[in-house]
Amino acid sequence: MSGQRKGYIAKVSGPVVIAKGISDIKMGEVVYVGNEGLLGEVVRVSQDSFAVQVYEDTSGLRPKEPVTATGKLLVAELGPGLMGRVFDGVQRPLKSIEELVGPFVKRGVKVNPLPRNVKWHFKPSVKVGDKVSSGDIIGVVQETPLIEHRVMVPIGVSGKVKEVVPEGDYTVEDPVVILESDGRVVELTMKQEWPVRQPRPYKERLPSEVPLLIGQRIIDTFFPIAKGGAGAIPGGFGTGKTVTLHKVSMYSDSQIVVYIGCGERGNEIAEMLKEFPVLVDPKSGRPIIERSIIIANTSNMPVSAREASIYMGVTIAEYYRDQGYDVTLIADSTSRWAEALREIAGRLGELPVERGYPAYLPDKIAEFYERGGRVKALGSPERSGSVTVLGAVSPPGGDYNEPVTIHTLRFVGTMWALDTDLAYRRHFPAINWLKSFSQYADIIERWWVKNVSPEFPKYRRRALRLLTVASEIEAIASVVGEGALPDDQRLILLTSEIIKEGFLRQTALSGEDVFCKPEKQYWLLKMMMDFFDKSYELIRKRVSIEEILRMPEIYEMMRVKEDERGLQAVKELYERVMAKLDEIAQRHGVTLAVEAEEVVA
Ligand SMILES: Nc1ncnc2c1ncn2[C@@H]1O[C@H](COP(=O)(O)OP(=O)(O)OP(=O)(O)O)[C@@H](O)[C@H]1O
Ligand SMILES: [Mg+2]
């Protein structure tokens, strides 16, 4: 072909190739490398050469082999056909699970991300004569039984509708709307492209004030994440990062999940892929895969594609956000992604600053989390959507004092700190309640006040405070023995045990306790804190703690979360606990009035 810009390989260094011979090469340009035409992206341009990160295995590449420039940036192909599919980091569809675990041999093959032969039933929503511009919805397609795909005018395109196809079946390449735009004719199909390294534009950012409900009590009640927020889940080896993130993809109330399996073992992702089609969405009764997209870049796949996978995933998430959906983007694990960055930086001869990571590591981490948010989308009809970003962080040796964890914590609003000791004791989820934080908690409390109970903030704060005080008392108790503590301190310890066992601890596996509704979370906590208040009054009025410890309801409070009758069982137990304490009071001729607020207020 004439006009092709061709150069040649000068040097190969792992996933990075140094090439020469194309003087007008651009940063970020996609190139094809070597005789096989391996996909690569220009990551640095110098005076007489340029560096390419190659997204495929570079073994066997030799100097002097050709390099061809495309003039295009690395893009995501967007349109119907994404949902329910599995892609690698540069959006090549993976057809079978075997591709994940077997040796990754696919090289130089160009496969279209969206299938070209599938016909989608397109229902137009514009008519001849309408004026349309960036982001306007021109029609819809039922992409899966769970997701209606809203086909939008690509960013930067506008014009007057000249022709619209009738409702019917079309492929992603068939023109469905024809525009007249400044005297030119523009054909719109159901597919469009977007450069993955650029955030997609929106009309306006909206505050993140609604919780992403996960059904895990320690998260929803104590360390919530807002829809459109950013959260990190750091934890050492085997502490439960992946299990927790799977929970989020299965049970959270986001409409769409984009799951980036990034540098994890192939069999981990393969397992998940086997699980997803059989797992049923609790709200719709449909397979979860019908609202999920998986980007898989396992540890046996090329490291550059792992670097790109994060951007690919977030771009796809933004695209559905712009359609008006709440999307959760999960990256497991961002540490493996950062390692990919480090390796490429090393090959490029960048100066390492912290533990071998390049100086731009914090910027890259910030860029990733900042692509989360709740927005008003461009175009009409008016709609809002969100991308909630969640990243696992795997600090080596579980030591949080390392660059990826430190910088990540600067840019996220929530941290669920996994704890090796808790995991070792099989207290799951092993989220440490003293180290975790959520900056969304205050604003999300308003949602709880409105939707669950005006008393929620009070219970939440006091319970957290009680847990903190209890940890201090525990330290003393470990020296003097619990029996030597005054009764009020023993009551604090007892209540904190009830909260840990009956509230914080929650199975991820099966049964009633897998997903806990907000109202049930509230009633469990209310029961435990009201138990504390009443018991405290009794103790102040000289009733011995031993008498309270004898209540069989204490054990029940730790177990009622599993009762299949759900909320009703909690409310019934609540009544019984209160009646039992009143009975003790009566027996001792004590009147219960004031709350014990001052203790753990
Ligand atoms: N919420 C939970 N409920 C029950 N068991 C859990 C829970 N979380 C973790 N586990 C147990 O811990 C094991 C390890 O969890 P997981 O694979 O999620 O850890 P990880 O932090 O992702 O590990 P890695 O560092 O290897 O990626 C699980 O196989 C499971 O047995
Ligand atoms: Mg894991």
Side-chain angles (χ1 to χ4, degrees):
M1 218 186 351
S2 68
Q4 251 189 7
R5 293 143 66 224
K6 269 198 186 237
Y8 60 92
I9 297 176
K11 189 179 153 210
V12 181
S13 167
V16 170
V17 161
I18 307 296
K20 295 188 172 183
I22 310 177
S23 52
D24 61 345
I25 195 83
K26 297 270 174 341
M27 192 59 190
E29 196 169 342
V30 167
V31 294
Y32 293 120
V33 179
N35 295 328
E36 286 174 281
L38 307 183
L39 183 72
E41 185 183 357
V42 176
V43 288
R44 186 201 283 160
V45 178
S46 334
Q47 213 158 31
D48 62 340
S49 69
F50 55 95
V52 177
Q53 83 179 37
V54 182
Y55 291 122
E56 306 184 61
D57 182 8
T58 53
S59 51
L61 275 188
R62 297 264 170 275
K64 298 278 183 300
E65 285 187 37
V67 174
T68 313
T70 63
K72 287 179 68 173
L73 297 172
L74 183 67
V75 294
E77 191 172 272
L78 304 165
L82 292 169
M83 206 48 70
R85 309 268 307 288
V86 186
F87 299 96
D88 76 0
V90 285
Q91 218 192 1
R92 287 181 302 189
L94 302 182
K95 278 189 291 310
S96 72
I97 294 174
E98 284 63 42
E99 286 185 278
L100 283 175
V101 277
F104 197 68
V105 286
K106 189 153 67 176
R107 292 216 315 186
V109 248
K110 317 252 167 328
V111 211
N112 291 315
L114 298 176
R116 295 299 194 255
N117 51 358
V118 176
K119 289 201 165 181
W120 301 96
H121 191 78
F122 177 77
K123 278 192 208 149
S125 56
V126 288
K127 53 184 191 318
V128 173
D130 286 354
K131 285 209 174 101
V132 295
S133 61
S134 301
D136 285 353
I137 295 175
I138 54 173
V140 297
V141 160
Q142 198 65 43
E143 188 174 7
T144 67
L146 290 181
I147 300 297
E148 176 192 79
H149 197 108
R150 296 155 193 165
V151 181
M152 297 175 286
V153 175
I155 309 295
V157 175
S158 63
K160 198 160 143 191
V161 177
K162 222 173 105 179
E163 266 180 61
V164 190
V165 292
E167 176 175 340
D169 299 338
Y170 303 92
T171 72
V172 291
E173 287 181 315
D174 293 331
V176 286
V177 169
I178 296 175
L179 299 183
E180 197 183 294
S181 170
D182 293 332
R184 283 184 312 122
V185 169
V186 181
E187 289 185 342
L188 301 183
T189 63
M190 284 185 257
K191 78 172 167 59
Q192 50 178 286
E193 289 179 343
W194 187 260
V196 298
R197 296 186 193 273
Q198 286 170 24
R200 280 175 62 87
Y202 45 79
K203 212 177 275 172
E204 168 187 350
R205 226 173 219 282
L206 300 171
S208 298
E209 51 200 11
V210 176
L212 180 73
L213 292 169
I214 289 158
Q216 294 277 304
R217 288 179 291 269
I218 186 159
I219 293 177
D220 292 346
T221 292
F222 290 124
F223 308 106
I225 180 146
K227 288 199 174 110
I233 176 160
F237 176 72
T239 46
K241 299 179 288 296
T242 303
V243 170
T244 308
L245 292 173
H246 282 196
K247 294 266 88 171
V248 176
S249 36
M250 288 172 215
Y251 297 106
S252 76
D253 62 344
S254 62
Q255 295 159 298
I256 290 172
V257 172
V258 179
Y259 199 102
I260 309 167
C262 184
E264 296 296 285
R265 292 177 296 279
N267 53 356
E268 262 191 9
I269 298 182
E271 236 168 69
M272 172 177 162
L273 292 184
K274 282 185 200 140
E275 245 176 45
F276 263 41
V278 287
L279 277 172
V280 166
D281 179 63
K283 292 175 296 273
S284 60
R286 305 279 324 169
I288 266 160
I289 192 81
E290 291 179 355
R291 58 167 175 78
S292 314
I293 298 166
I294 295 164
I295 314 276
N297 242 175
T298 51
S299 45
N300 56 325
M301 295 186 186
V303 62
S304 307
R306 189 194 301 171
E307 190 274 334
S309 64
I310 290 267
Y311 303 98
M312 187 58 70
V314 82
T315 303
I316 292 173
E318 287 174 344
Y319 172 69
Y320 282 94
R321 170 203 73 188
D322 293 345
Q323 294 177 40
Y325 287 110
D326 289 318
V327 185
T328 301
L329 175 82
I330 292 174
D332 185 8
S333 139
T334 60
S335 297
R336 304 280 103 81
W337 165 69
E339 283 162 16
L341 266 186
R342 176 168 67 185
E343 174 164 354
I344 295 160
R347 301 282 183 174
L348 287 168
E350 309 262 5
L351 210 58
V353 288
E354 289 171 284
R355 299 206 194 174
Y357 289 105
Y360 51 75
L361 174 74
D363 296 342
K364 292 272 187 179
I365 294 176
E367 261 170 37
F368 168 61
Y369 285 103
E370 279 164 5
R371 286 180 75 168
R374 205 163 78 83
V375 305
K376 194 184 270 181
L378 287 174
S380 70
E382 199 159 283
R383 58 202 185 269
S384 62
S386 64
V387 175
T388 309
V389 183
L390 287 174
V393 185
S394 346
D399 172 15
Y400 287 12
N401 193 14
E402 59 88 41
V404 181
T405 316
I406 293 172
H407 294 305
T408 299
L409 295 184
R410 290 166 54 200
F411 307 120
V412 296
T414 296
M415 164 171 80
W416 303 323
L418 291 176
D419 187 306
T420 313
D421 281 344
L422 288 174
Y424 183 73
R425 299 206 308 261
R426 306 212 53 82
H427 174 111
F428 287 119
I431 297 175
N432 184 311
W433 48 90
L434 301 175
K435 292 193 187 133
S436 300
F437 66 78
S438 167
Q439 290 163 3
Y440 307 108
D442 288 349
I443 196 160
I444 283 177
E445 270 178 2
R446 291 186 215 151
W447 179 92
W448 284 81
V449 164
K450 194 162 153 233
N451 293 281
V452 182
S453 163
E455 293 197 296
F456 172 82
K458 177 185 89 181
Y459 285 114
R460 173 182 181 274
R461 284 166 200 218
R462 295 187 60 231
L464 270 179
R465 178 90 188 108
L466 186 137
L467 289 166
T468 311
V469 174
S471 80
E472 289 156 11
I473 300 175
E474 265 163 35
I476 302 168
S478 67
V479 181
V480 299
E482 203 180 317
L485 295 174
D487 275 7
D488 59 343
Q489 296 196 353
R490 288 180 66 190
L491 178 68
I492 292 177
L493 287 190
L494 170 68
T495 313
S496 104
E497 278 317 307
I498 297 172
I499 296 176
K500 283 184 217 169
E501 186 58 40
F503 191 87
L504 299 178
R505 197 165 173 185
Q506 190 174 352
T507 178
L509 305 175
S510 60
E512 162 70 22
D513 203 30
V514 163
F515 183 92
C516 189
K517 293 203 178 107
E519 204 179 3
K520 184 173 160 190
Q521 301 192 18
Y522 167 74
W523 273 90
L524 281 167
L525 199 62
K526 174 180 164 65
M527 171 178 72
M528 294 167 189
M529 293 310 291
D530 285 356
F531 160 81
F532 173 76
D533 285 341
K534 267 200 182 192
S535 305
Y536 189 81
E537 270 304 295
L538 289 172
I539 284 170
R540 263 194 7 167
K541 304 215 163 122
R542 306 269 176 267
V543 176
S544 157
I545 182 123
E546 302 297 339
E547 198 153 341
I548 294 165
L549 284 169
R550 276 198 293 274
M551 284 170 59
E553 287 81 7
I554 288 179
Y555 179 76
E556 284 185 68
M557 280 196 274
M558 299 184 187
R559 287 283 154 264
V560 69
K561 60 186 178 180
E562 283 153 16
D563 192 311
E564 272 162 26
R565 291 172 306 138
L567 179 61
Q568 194 201 340
V570 183
K571 286 186 173 171
E572 276 173 28
L573 178 60
Y574 178 86
E575 294 306 329
R576 272 196 288 127
V577 170
M578 294 304 126
K580 196 55 140 315
L581 292 171
D582 288 339
E583 207 181 290
I584 299 178
Q586 251 178 8
R587 220 179 314 133
H588 289 265
V590 166
T591 32
L592 293 173
V594 269
E595 287 188 356
E597 291 260 9
E598 70 271 23
V599 197
V600 290

Coordinates of all heavy atoms in Angstrom, one line a residue, residues 238-243 245 259 264-265 268 332-333 336 392 394, ligand 2:
G238 N -3.6 -14.4 50.3 CA -4.7 -15.3 50.8 C -5.5 -14.7 51.9 O -6.2 -15.4 52.7
T239 N -5.6 -13.4 52.0 CA -6.5 -12.8 53.0 C -7.9 -12.6 52.6 O -8.7 -12.2 53.4 CB -5.8 -11.4 53.5 OG1 -5.5 -10.7 52.3 CG2 -4.6 -11.7 54.3
G240 N -8.2 -12.7 51.3 CA -9.6 -12.6 50.9 C -9.9 -11.5 49.9 O -11.1 -11.1 49.8
K241 N -8.9 -11.0 49.2 CA -9.2 -9.9 48.3 C -10.1 -10.4 47.2 O -11.1 -9.8 46.9 CB -7.8 -9.4 47.6 CG -6.9 -8.9 48.6 CD -5.6 -8.5 48.0 CE -4.7 -9.6 47.5 NZ -4.2 -10.5 48.6
T242 N -9.7 -11.5 46.6 CA -10.5 -12.0 45.4 C -11.9 -12.4 45.8 O -12.9 -12.1 45.2 CB -9.7 -13.2 44.8 OG1 -8.4 -12.7 44.4 CG2 -10.4 -13.7 43.5
V243 N -12.0 -13.1 47.0 CA -13.3 -13.5 47.4 C -14.2 -12.3 47.7 O -15.4 -12.3 47.2 CB -13.2 -14.4 48.7 CG1 -14.6 -14.6 49.3 CG2 -12.6 -15.7 48.4
L245 N -14.0 -9.3 46.3 CA -14.3 -8.6 45.1 C -15.3 -9.5 44.2 O -16.2 -8.9 43.6 CB -13.1 -8.4 44.2 CG -12.2 -7.3 44.9 CD1 -10.9 -7.2 44.2 CD2 -12.9 -5.9 44.9
Y259 N -14.9 -6.7 35.2 CA -13.9 -7.4 36.1 C -12.6 -7.5 35.3 O -12.5 -8.2 34.4 CB -14.5 -8.7 36.5 CG -13.8 -9.3 37.7 CD1 -14.5 -9.2 39.0 CD2 -12.5 -9.8 37.7 CE1 -13.9 -9.7 40.1 CE2 -11.9 -10.3 38.9 CZ -12.6 -10.2 40.1 OH -12.0 -10.7 41.2
E264 N -3.3 -12.1 37.7 CA -3.5 -13.2 38.7 C -3.3 -14.5 37.9 O -3.2 -14.6 36.7 CB -4.9 -13.1 39.2 CG -5.2 -11.8 40.1 CD -4.3 -11.8 41.3 OE1 -4.6 -12.5 42.3 OE2 -3.3 -11.0 41.3
R265 N -3.3 -15.6 38.7 CA -3.1 -16.9 38.1 C -4.3 -17.2 37.2 O -5.4 -16.9 37.5 CB -3.0 -18.0 39.2 CG -1.7 -17.8 40.0 CD -1.7 -18.8 41.1 NE -2.7 -18.7 42.1 CZ -2.7 -17.8 43.1 NH1 -1.7 -17.0 43.3 NH2 -3.7 -17.7 43.9
E268 N -7.3 -19.1 38.6 CA -8.2 -18.3 39.4 C -9.3 -17.7 38.6 O -10.5 -17.7 38.9 CB -7.4 -17.1 40.1 CG -7.0 -17.4 41.5 CD -6.5 -16.2 42.2 OE1 -6.6 -15.0 41.7 OE2 -6.0 -16.3 43.3
D332 N -8.2 -6.7 39.8 CA -7.6 -7.6 40.8 C -6.4 -8.3 40.1 O -6.6 -9.1 39.2 CB -8.6 -8.7 41.1 CG -8.1 -9.7 42.2 OD1 -7.0 -9.4 42.8 OD2 -8.8 -10.7 42.5
S333 N -5.2 -7.8 40.3 CA -4.8 -6.9 41.4 C -4.0 -5.8 40.8 O -3.2 -6.0 39.8 CB -4.0 -7.7 42.4 OG -2.9 -7.0 42.9
R336 N -0.2 -6.2 40.5 CA 0.4 -6.9 39.4 C 0.5 -5.9 38.2 O 1.4 -6.0 37.4 CB -0.5 -8.1 39.0 CG -0.7 -9.1 40.1 CD 0.5 -10.0 40.3 NE 1.3 -9.6 41.5 CZ 1.0 -9.9 42.7 NH1 -0.1 -10.6 43.0 NH2 1.8 -9.5 43.7
A392 N -7.9 -4.3 44.1 CA -7.2 -5.0 45.1 C -5.7 -4.6 45.0 O -5.2 -4.3 44.0 CB -7.3 -6.5 44.7
S394 N -2.0 -6.0 46.4 CA -1.3 -7.1 47.1 C 0.1 -6.7 47.5 O 1.1 -7.0 46.8 CB -1.2 -8.3 46.2 OG -2.1 -8.2 45.1
Ligands
MG2 MG -6.6 -13.1 44.8

